[in-house]
């Protein structure tokens, strides 16, 4: 019996590029809006009260400001990884779920690479008071401010992990 990752129906070779392009455009558009409409160090502007606020900040590192000050090398690494994933998916079409998941991760990597190469820092603007209350309750400080590219990487990775567990559970044990 096929699993989510082994589903025999493959997607067209152009789909990962189109999906990644749409996600990158959305990411860059929101970043442009944030740069034009928000100010760094300004109070949060509620978008969905209690769930999402707009807060402009910049990151020269990776998640949780790891490797701060390393924007250019991180950007080059992100770009190579994102483009590598898209080339792989174009050359070797994969099942639908895997294609969507890897395209999301590639789009996130490329979206943040664009910022790192163009500005020397990544623009972040989405703050979640709900997530911050959870991390603060765990004595881990406020949840980081993020962007659409970050969402693509995190959600894509979560989907990849969940799909791999579902696939493993359905395979017969020998």
């Amino acid at each position: 019996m096929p699993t989510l990752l082994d589903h025999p129906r493959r997607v067209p070779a152009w789909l990962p590029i189109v999906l990644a392009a749409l996600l990158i455009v959305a990411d860059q558009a929101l970043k442009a809006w944030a740069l034009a409409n928000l100010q760094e160090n300004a109070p949060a502007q509620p978008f969905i009260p209690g769930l999402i606020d707009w807060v402009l900040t910049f990151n020269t590192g990776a998640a949780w400001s790891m490797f701060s000050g390393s924007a250019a090398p991180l950007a080059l690494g992100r770009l190579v990884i994102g483009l590598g994933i898209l080339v792989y998916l174009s050359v070797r079409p994969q099942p639908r779920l895997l294609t969507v998941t890897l395209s999301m991760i590639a789009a996130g990597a490329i979206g943040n690479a664009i910022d790192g190469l163009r500005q020397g820092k990544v623009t972040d603007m989405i703050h979640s008071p709900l997530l911050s209350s959870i991390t603060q309750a765990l004595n881990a400080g406020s949840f980081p401010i993020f962007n659409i590219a970050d969402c693509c990487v995190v959600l894509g990775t979560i989907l990849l992990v969940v799909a791999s567990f579902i696939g493993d559970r359905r395979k017969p044990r020998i």
Side-chain angles (χ1 to χ4, degrees):
M1 173 192 269
T3 67
L4 290 173
L5 295 177
D6 296 328
H7 197 281
R9 291 181 60 189
R10 306 282 187 222
V11 298
W14 52 264
L15 182 67
I17 295 167
V18 170
L19 179 57
L22 291 172
L23 291 169
I24 292 166
V25 167
D27 174 63
Q28 293 299 304
L30 184 57
K31 288 174 179 174
W33 174 86
L35 291 170
N37 295 288
L38 302 174
Q39 292 184 3
E40 192 174 17
N41 300 318
Q45 295 181 11
F47 177 63
I48 302 173
L51 292 178
I52 297 176
D53 295 335
W54 299 127
V55 178
L56 181 63
T57 190
F58 301 97
N59 188 352
T60 60
W64 280 272
S65 296
M66 290 187 300
F67 311 113
S68 287
S70 304
L74 285 170
L76 288 174
R78 289 172 176 138
L79 187 61
V80 167
I81 289 168
L83 292 175
I85 291 170
L86 291 178
V87 167
Y88 171 77
L89 290 173
S90 295
V91 172
R92 298 194 54 158
Q94 298 296 312
R96 286 176 284 179
L97 179 60
L98 186 57
T99 297
V100 169
T101 300
L102 292 177
S103 297
M104 289 173 63
I105 294 169
I110 294 168
N112 280 339
I114 291 169
D115 276 20
L117 293 172
R118 195 173 65 205
Q119 306 179 130
K121 56 190 175 185
V122 173
T123 303
D124 292 320
M125 78 298 296
I126 304 169
H127 172 255
S128 173
L130 176 63
L131 292 175
S132 280
S133 67
I134 294 168
T135 56
Q136 288 169 352
L138 298 171
N139 292 322
S142 292
F143 194 83
I145 298 166
F146 53 97
N147 58 44
I148 291 175
D150 298 334
C151 292
C152 289
V153 171
V154 170
L155 293 176
T157 302
I158 290 169
L159 279 171
L160 190 60
V161 170
V162 168
S164 69
F165 282 122
I166 291 170
D168 286 348
R169 287 183 39 202
R170 290 189 181 186
K171 288 182 182 175
R173 304 274 186 221
I174 297 177

